[in-house]
């Protein structure tokens, strides 16, 4: 059996680190995938910022499952040099935070012309991998709409090309939004997945819903994980649920069924509870 360990993008509960920590504690989650902190993206943190973040997290016994970075989330035709320089700086931030993984992407491809830019994608990822490996940090690629690795087939192509040097963050909602069957993608990638993002969506319009209420087949996937993987597997809650500040004034059943929430904290709670109902 698998020991599922919960992490979360707590910046979806609040932009303030103190409130993120409070939300994690209230949800009984001891890991964070750090993305937004007090108005800054994790890729923009200075060394001093990172030291403060590290101290606050350590005081509450919260560890990092990954740095939820935006690296690789630029156009493949954009100048890579400044992006790579910022990536180098983030490796130093990871060391301060005692973080061993960076979530990243494989560049937006214009006109869906994947074959034309394939070699440039590989070239850029190789440069990033070499730098990360020197610091003993694992780069973990997330499937995302519009990037090179947006389908299960191209994600596997990346994994196989780099011979397992590149980790895999499996996001079922993103596959739904790309028209890919998440269960089929899981079957293809099941032996290569590093960790999972807990997010779900509908094929009908791509809208994100709480896990288990969409077409991501998350319960079936996690049941298979539980049967076939031993040890710990991280599930990172990424709500992306609609927050509608006027919801509390409405009584319409139609509005309630759209999974709108009155504030970010309630949406975060709903997302965490949906995952817990599946695994506990």
């Amino acid at each position: 059996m698998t020991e599922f360990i919960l992490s979360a993008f707590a910046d979806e509960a609040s932009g303030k680190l103190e409130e993120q920590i409070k939300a994690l504690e209230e949800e009984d989650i001891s890991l964070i995938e750090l993305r937004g902190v007090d108005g800054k993206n994790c890729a923009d943190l200075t060394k001093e910022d990172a030291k403060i973040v590290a101290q606050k997290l350590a005081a509450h016994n919260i560890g990092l499952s990954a740095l939820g970075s935006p690296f690789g989330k630029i156009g493949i035709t954009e100048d890579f040099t400044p992006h790579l320089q910022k990536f180098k700086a983030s490796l130093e931030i990871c060391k301060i935070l005692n973080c061993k993984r960076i979530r990243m992407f494989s560049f937006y491809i214009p006109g869906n012309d994947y074959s034309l830019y394939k070699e440039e994608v590989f070239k850029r990822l190789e440069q990033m991998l070499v730098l990360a490996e020197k610091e003993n940090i694992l780069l973990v690629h997330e499937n995302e709409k519009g990037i090179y690795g947006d389908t299960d087939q191209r994600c596997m192509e990346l994994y196989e090309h780099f011979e397992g040097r590149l980790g895999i963050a499996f996001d079922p909602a993103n596959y739904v939004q790309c028209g890919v069957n998440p269960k089929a993608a899981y079957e293809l990638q099941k032996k290569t997945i590093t960790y999972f993002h807990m997010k779900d969506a509908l094929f009908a319009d791509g809208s994100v819903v709480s896990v288990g209420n969409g077409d991501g087949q998350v319960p079936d996937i996690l049941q298979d994980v539980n049967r076939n993987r031993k040890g710990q597997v991280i599930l990172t809650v990424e709500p992306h649920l609609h927050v509608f500040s006027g919801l509390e004034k409405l009584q319409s059943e139609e509005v309630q069924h759209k999974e709108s929430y009155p504030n970010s904290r309630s949406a975060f709670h709903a997302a965490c509870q949906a995952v817990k109902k599946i695994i506990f």
Side-chain angles (χ1 to χ4, degrees):
M1 292 180 64
T2 300
E3 180 185 2
F4 290 116
I5 305 296
L6 292 185
S7 179
F9 285 97
D11 58 346
E12 294 201 38
S14 172
K16 297 179 180 179
L17 182 60
E18 287 82 0
E19 293 179 9
Q20 292 180 30
I21 291 171
K22 182 180 179 182
L24 289 169
E25 291 181 329
E26 289 175 348
E27 301 296 341
D28 196 25
I29 296 175
S30 60
L31 290 175
I32 185 171
E33 184 154 341
L34 195 71
R35 182 173 55 191
V37 184
D38 296 332
K40 285 187 176 182
N41 184 277
C42 64
D44 297 318
L45 294 177
T46 65
K47 291 182 179 180
E48 288 305 311
D49 291 332
K51 290 176 183 177
I52 293 171
V53 170
Q55 290 170 358
K56 290 182 177 180
L57 292 177
H60 292 268
N61 296 312
I62 295 173
L64 273 80
S65 60
L67 193 70
S69 87
F71 295 118
K73 213 169 186 178
I74 62 170
I76 192 64
T77 59
E78 292 182 50
D79 184 5
F80 185 49
T81 301
H83 197 67
L84 188 62
Q85 289 301 316
K86 183 175 280 192
F87 174 76
K88 288 180 181 179
S90 283
L91 294 174
E92 293 298 315
I93 298 303
C94 278
K95 288 195 287 185
I96 295 171
L97 295 170
N98 192 28
C99 180
K100 298 299 183 182
R101 299 187 187 95
I102 296 180
R103 182 280 306 266
M104 40 71 70
F105 305 89
S106 53
F107 307 97
Y108 291 116
I109 306 300
N112 296 324
D113 199 346
Y114 299 97
S115 60
L116 180 62
Y117 297 102
K118 176 179 177 177
E119 293 306 317
E120 181 63 20
V121 168
F122 288 174
K123 177 183 176 183
R124 292 184 176 193
L125 291 179
E126 176 64 27
Q127 292 179 65
M128 295 168 70
L129 279 165
V130 169
L131 291 171
E133 287 167 344
K134 288 180 180 178
E135 304 299 339
N136 196 31
I137 293 172
L138 176 66
L139 299 189
V140 185
H141 176 270
E142 177 185 346
N143 54 291
E144 167 90 1
K145 189 175 182 179
I147 64 173
Y148 186 86
D150 59 356
T151 67
D152 51 344
Q153 296 290 336
R154 280 192 292 273
C155 281
M156 279 302 295
E157 180 185 44
L158 290 172
Y159 183 86
E160 291 171 353
H161 174 81
F162 292 109
E163 299 180 326
R165 295 163 61 204
L166 187 67
I168 297 293
F170 186 95
D171 190 310
N174 288 352
Y175 275 134
V176 169
Q177 292 173 340
C178 291
V180 175
N181 183 310
K183 186 65 182 302
Y186 166 73
E187 291 296 337
L188 179 66
Q189 295 181 271
K190 64 192 299 182
K191 294 181 180 180
T192 68
I193 296 168
T194 307
Y195 67 89
F196 295 80
H197 281 175
M198 289 290 96
K199 194 160 95 248
D200 209 340
L202 300 172
F203 277 123
D205 58 6
S207 60
V208 175
V209 294
S210 55
V211 170
N213 288 342
D215 297 313
Q217 303 172 76
V218 179
D220 288 346
I221 289 171
L222 294 185
Q223 285 178 15
D224 189 82
V225 173
N226 193 40
R227 284 194 299 267
N228 294 291
R229 289 184 67 159
K230 296 180 180 180
Q232 296 181 343
V233 173
I234 292 174
L235 308 178
T236 300
V237 181
E238 186 178 17
H240 275 24
L241 297 174
H242 179 61
V243 175
F244 177 37
S245 60
L247 179 65
E248 68 278 6
K249 299 177 182 179
L250 301 173
Q251 300 299 321
S252 164
E253 284 297 310
E254 180 182 2
V255 172
Q256 292 175 11
H257 285 302
K258 289 182 179 178
E259 293 200 43
S260 292
Y261 296 88
N263 53 58
S264 297
R265 182 65 187 90
S266 61
F268 184 78
H269 175 68
C272 292
Q273 288 299 111
V275 177
K276 290 178 180 179
K277 286 179 181 178
I278 295 173
I279 64 172
F280 298 135

